[in-house]
């Protein structure tokens, strides 16, 4: 039985996406990457990730719209979602929390270790 947890990273900044992916891989996670919200929605349906890290400012479909669509399609889904963004405003924060994001993190204030700690805690690792 495969117990490796699969993390979907939805981030259009390729450097950050690669950095997160490498850190997660070296910590024993499997990673999937999407560069926009629409691609992220497709990967959620096809890959069934154990947790999701999503930016808000994304091309094609932003992270909030992606969260809304995801919750509309499957309101009972308990997949932990971490919003990792540069947008430090209450409106986006409220929308993320209303769509059951477990954390709203500002990129410049976060270490990769903190993100890993949140994932470990929420996934019971």
């Amino acid at each position: 039985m495969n117990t490796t947890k699969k993390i979907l990273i939805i981030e259009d900044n390729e450097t950050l996406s690669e950095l997160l992916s490498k850190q997660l891989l070296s910590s024993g996670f499997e990673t999937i990457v999407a560069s926009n919200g629409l691609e992220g929605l497709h990967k959620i349906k096809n890959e069934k990730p154990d947790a999701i890290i999503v930016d808000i400012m994304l091309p094609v479909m932003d992270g909030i719209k992606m969260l809304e669509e995801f919750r509309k399609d499957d309101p009972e889904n308990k997949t932990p979602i971490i919003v990792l963004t540069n947008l430090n405003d209450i409106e986006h924060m409220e929308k993320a929390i209303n769509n059951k994001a477990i954390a709203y993190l500002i990129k410049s204030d976060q270490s990769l270790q903190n993100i890993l700690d949140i994932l470990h805690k929420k996934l019971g690792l």
Side-chain angles (χ1 to χ4, degrees):
M1 184 178 143
N2 184 358
T3 57
T4 303
K5 299 292 185 183
K6 195 184 308 185
I7 311 299
L8 172 59
I9 301 164
I10 308 171
E11 170 62 63
D12 63 327
N13 179 317
E14 199 173 314
T15 304
L16 179 57
S17 185
E18 285 178 18
L19 188 65
L20 273 169
S21 188
K22 284 179 184 173
Q23 185 72 34
L24 290 166
L25 286 168
S26 70
S27 298
F29 292 101
E30 180 184 335
T31 62
I32 312 152
V33 177
S35 61
N36 66 65
L38 188 60
E39 182 186 357
L41 271 181
H42 291 302
K43 290 196 175 185
I44 290 168
K45 289 176 184 159
N46 296 328
E47 302 279 348
K48 308 280 189 257
D50 296 292
I52 300 164
I53 299 171
V54 62
D55 190 6
I56 289 179
M57 294 178 63
L58 295 167
V60 184
M61 177 188 287
D62 71 44
I64 295 295
K65 181 71 176 159
M66 193 252 9
L67 277 173
E68 291 168 351
E69 291 295 316
F70 172 60
R71 293 301 181 200
K72 187 170 69 177
D73 289 347
D74 192 354
E76 300 307 311
N77 191 304
K78 303 276 191 260
T79 303
I81 298 174
I82 297 172
V83 174
L84 183 63
T85 185
N86 285 320
L87 293 175
N88 190 3
D89 68 81
I90 195 76
E91 180 187 346
H92 286 97
M93 202 176 297
E94 284 176 349
K95 286 181 181 177
I97 300 304
N98 287 341
N99 284 286
K100 301 185 181 99
I102 61 162
Y104 188 97
L105 307 175
I106 306 305
K107 290 177 183 178
S108 60
D109 297 343
Q110 296 308 310
S111 67
L112 290 171
Q113 187 58 53
N114 186 44
I115 295 166
L116 283 170
D117 290 346
I118 292 169
L119 287 170
H120 280 111
K121 183 178 178 186
K122 290 297 177 181
L123 294 173
L125 303 174

